[in-house]
Structure formats: C-alpha cells, structure tokens
Amino acid sequence: MRRLLIFLCSLFSVFATSCKESSSKGIVKVVSPKVVRTLLAENAIQLVDVRTPKEFNEGHIEGAKNIDFLSDTFDSEIKKFDKTKPIILYCKSGYRSAKSGEKLHHAGFTEIYDLKGGIAKWKKEGFEIKL
C-alpha cells in the first residue's frame, strides 16, 4: 500500500511539473500597464489595439495600430507585422487581446505581450490616451 502511495505521489509530481513547464513557457506574457509603458519606450515594439474601429476612435494608446479582432481580415492584417519584433496587444479588458495573442503565436510571432486589464486598466492607472 505504501509503495502504491509513493508511486501515485511520484506520478502526480511528474505530471504537475510537466504541466507547469509547458504553461510557464509563456506563449503570451500578460503584463501590467507600467510594464507596457516601459516596453513602449523601446523603439522596436509594435503596439496593436484589437478593438473595433469605433472603440479605437473613442481613445487609444498613442502609436497603436488598430486591427479589429472581430474582423474577417484579422488574420491577413496581422501578417503585415514583423514576427521577429516584440508585439503588445490590448483591447477593452483583456479577452480579445488574449485570443489575438493565441492567433499571433500560431502565426509565428515569438515575443507577444498582452496588456493586463486592457485599456480600461491603462486609463484607471492614469496613463494617457489619444483621441
């Protein structure tokens, strides 16, 4: 009985570790508004707002390009960006940017960041938006 218990604990540990390793590789890194602001100070960063054009025109982070995640052209539009350069995604609160990050990963992008809490959190923390 003790051997069975040790075996099961060992098996569980191996399983838990392998799951942890695969999820910690971080396909998309969720980062705070402060980290995004720091990243934006670097020249090689691409910034993409994945909200609708209407939402984008109501206010966005300066320098952002708008590609509507809900648009039929989203997949072709993301191909216009450099896959080797870091890219930051954001939406209103984080759902669409998370889904966009998955698509960018599958398209071959290597360094993807997602603004935690979206533009709502960006504004709440007092960072400027451009109208």
Side-chain angles (χ1 to χ4, degrees):
M1 181 69 168
R2 184 172 179 208
R3 284 184 182 181
L4 178 60
L5 182 60
I6 291 171
F7 173 75
L8 290 174
C9 287
S10 298
L11 185 62
F12 176 75
S13 294
V14 169
F15 177 73
T17 303
S18 66
C19 289
K20 183 179 179 185
E21 286 175 6
S22 65
S23 65
S24 69
K25 288 181 181 176
I27 294 170
V28 178
K29 297 172 188 92
V30 179
V31 293
S32 71
K34 286 182 182 180
V35 171
V36 167
R37 193 168 112 177
T38 301
L39 289 169
L40 289 174
E42 299 175 12
N43 294 329
I45 298 292
Q46 304 171 101
L47 180 61
V48 180
D49 183 325
V50 298
R51 299 176 300 155
T52 65
K54 181 180 185 281
E55 290 173 301
F56 181 82
N57 290 331
E58 291 171 352
H60 56 274
I61 300 172
E62 187 169 358
K65 304 292 182 201
N66 182 225
I67 301 177
D68 184 355
F69 173 71
L70 302 173
S71 168
D72 293 338
T73 62
F74 181 82
D75 293 333
S76 63
E77 291 291 317
I78 62 172
K79 291 178 184 175
K80 295 177 182 177
F81 288 89
D82 188 339
K83 293 178 183 181
T84 64
K85 291 184 179 177
I87 190 163
I88 301 171
L89 305 168
Y90 74 92
C91 61
K92 181 179 178 183
S93 61
Y95 178 77
R96 288 175 282 181
S97 57
K99 292 296 184 186
S100 297
E102 292 173 15
K103 285 189 171 205
L104 267 68
H105 172 70
H106 291 302
F109 287 78
T110 57
E111 192 172 350
I112 308 163
Y113 297 93
D114 182 4
L115 173 58
K116 182 178 183 177
I119 198 163
K121 186 157 179 95
W122 177 268
K123 291 190 291 189
K124 183 177 180 181
E125 292 198 12
F127 296 116
E128 291 185 28
I129 60 167
K130 184 174 180 173
L131 298 174

